[in-house]
Amino acid sequence: MKIRFLSSSSGVSQSAIRNPKFPIFFCALLLALCSSAEAQPIKPNRAQQACKVGDYSVAEYERLGPGQQAEFVETYRQKHSSAWKQALEALRAAHGNPPFQVIGRLKAAASIQEKIARKKYFCFSQLTDIAGTRLIIPNYAALPLVTQNIENQFVIREKEDLLRDVRESRYRALHYLAWVEDRPVEIQIHTYRGTLWADASHQLVYKGPFGDNQTLISYLYRLSDVIFLLDSGLWTDSRGSRDASTPGQGDFEKDSCGHKGCEPPGSDGSLPADPRKYA
């Protein structure tokens, strides 16, 4: 704080300064100004506000040795196991038969440690995707059915529509953050084509060796747009005909498809992709 000394040029007369009441007034004013400045509370940042009593502090975790850190993360990871299994069972009970498929994973301990460091989290509760599930649908005509079921089955804390608000990477999906047994469980909804695209992009670009390869990235952007048109039933061939393999919403009123076009890839109805790779 800068203090400006008073002089006759400042508009205060010498007689006013010589007045015995003036020093008392000046000191009171100075004290009030200092008290006002000190009384301003320091607002905590968003990370500090998010870390609640009883949560695990990343600062305390970082003070542990490497072996203790690994043990702590594995213990924290396993605390999500029961909620994850319960969410998988509920999803499979509703959508466990073709043309749908449900997969999932508990985030690997090494991935948890990497993400905490990369995101600079303040507390462990900010990591909400340790328990992850994915419901795979043939195309977007199935969305009204599956979203209604999920929102009726689970306590939903957040919903992120990445079909409407597409990321710069062209990643498209619908994400829910559900609360199961007092633990967060992420539920993703992808199409089969979208799952294959997401896995390829994840392995090659996001966590792969081609993060700076603009040719590959541009190709994946265009491929994502084409897949979206196919899965939306908006793709047309050179004659202006729509893709016949894309069923309409009426085909999903029951938990079956009824025609070959919406069967998932693979002769046994399985997904030819490693579900662990969307960590």
Side-chain angles (χ1 to χ4, degrees):
M1 176 184 294
K2 293 183 179 179
I3 300 176
R4 182 180 176 185
F5 291 95
L6 301 175
S7 65
S8 57
S9 61
S10 65
V12 181
S13 65
Q14 295 292 330
S15 60
I17 295 176
R18 285 193 295 269
N19 189 319
K21 294 183 179 180
F22 182 82
I24 299 174
F25 169 77
F26 181 77
C27 290
L29 178 61
L30 190 60
L31 181 61
L33 290 171
C34 292
S35 299
S36 175
E38 292 174 359
Q40 302 250 344
I42 299 174
K43 294 183 179 180
N45 59 38
R46 292 180 62 186
Q48 291 171 325
Q49 290 175 328
C51 206
K52 299 178 181 179
V53 175
D55 200 354
Y56 296 99
S57 167
V58 172
E60 293 180 6
Y61 154 80
E62 289 175 341
R63 285 195 286 269
L64 300 174
Q68 291 176 308
Q69 286 183 351
E71 183 179 355
F72 175 86
V73 168
E74 181 58 30
T75 301
Y76 186 75
R77 173 179 178 268
Q78 289 302 327
K79 288 182 178 181
H80 294 73
S81 178
S82 178
W84 170 64
K85 290 176 181 177
Q86 184 175 322
L88 278 177
E89 289 174 2
L91 288 169
R92 285 172 176 159
H95 303 293
N97 299 320
F100 304 101
Q101 186 171 357
V102 177
I103 59 177
R105 61 94 183 97
L106 275 181
K107 199 175 192 71
S111 295
I112 293 173
Q113 291 178 296
E114 183 274 332
K115 188 167 187 177
I116 286 173
R118 173 167 49 86
K119 294 285 190 177
K120 295 180 171 43
Y121 286 148
F122 186 78
C123 58
F124 273 79
S125 65
Q126 292 173 271
L127 191 66
T128 58
D129 64 343
I130 292 178
T133 63
R134 181 179 292 177
L135 171 58
I136 306 173
I137 60 178
N139 54 63
Y140 297 127
L143 273 178
L145 171 67
V146 298
T147 55
Q148 182 181 24
N149 286 343
I150 288 172
E151 291 170 15
N152 288 336
Q153 279 181 300
F154 296 94
V155 176
I156 303 298
R157 291 289 180 89
E158 295 178 16
K159 180 179 179 180
E160 188 176 16
D161 189 345
L162 297 173
L163 302 174
R164 181 191 62 198
D165 304 320
V166 185
R167 290 178 180 171
E168 186 180 354
S169 63
R170 297 297 203 281
Y171 173 86
R172 289 179 166 95
L174 195 62
H175 286 194
Y176 285 101
L177 183 62
W179 216 249
V180 182
E181 295 184 354
D182 205 31
R183 297 284 175 184
V185 178
E186 184 181 66
I187 302 173
Q188 300 180 356
I189 302 177
H190 286 248
T191 62
Y192 284 98
R193 296 182 182 105
T195 293
L196 295 173
W197 180 93
D199 287 344
S201 178
H202 191 86
Q203 296 173 52
L204 296 174
V205 176
Y206 182 64
K207 286 192 175 180
F210 302 106
D212 297 325
N213 189 319
Q214 292 303 315
T215 300
L216 176 61
I217 291 172
S218 296
Y219 171 76
L220 288 171
Y221 284 0
R222 295 194 300 273
L223 181 60
S224 175
D225 293 340
V226 170
I227 287 173
F228 178 73
L229 292 175
L230 284 167
D231 289 337
S232 301
L234 301 175
W235 179 265
T236 58
D237 59 21
S238 58
R239 296 170 297 177
S241 301
R242 289 192 176 185
D243 177 26
S245 68
T246 304
Q249 181 177 336
D251 294 302
F252 299 100
E253 292 177 354
K254 297 181 180 180
D255 199 18
S256 62
C257 170
H259 64 279
K260 189 174 182 180
C262 64
E263 291 176 359
S267 58
D268 61 350
S270 62
L271 178 69
D274 186 346
R276 295 170 297 176
K277 292 175 181 175
Y278 72 98

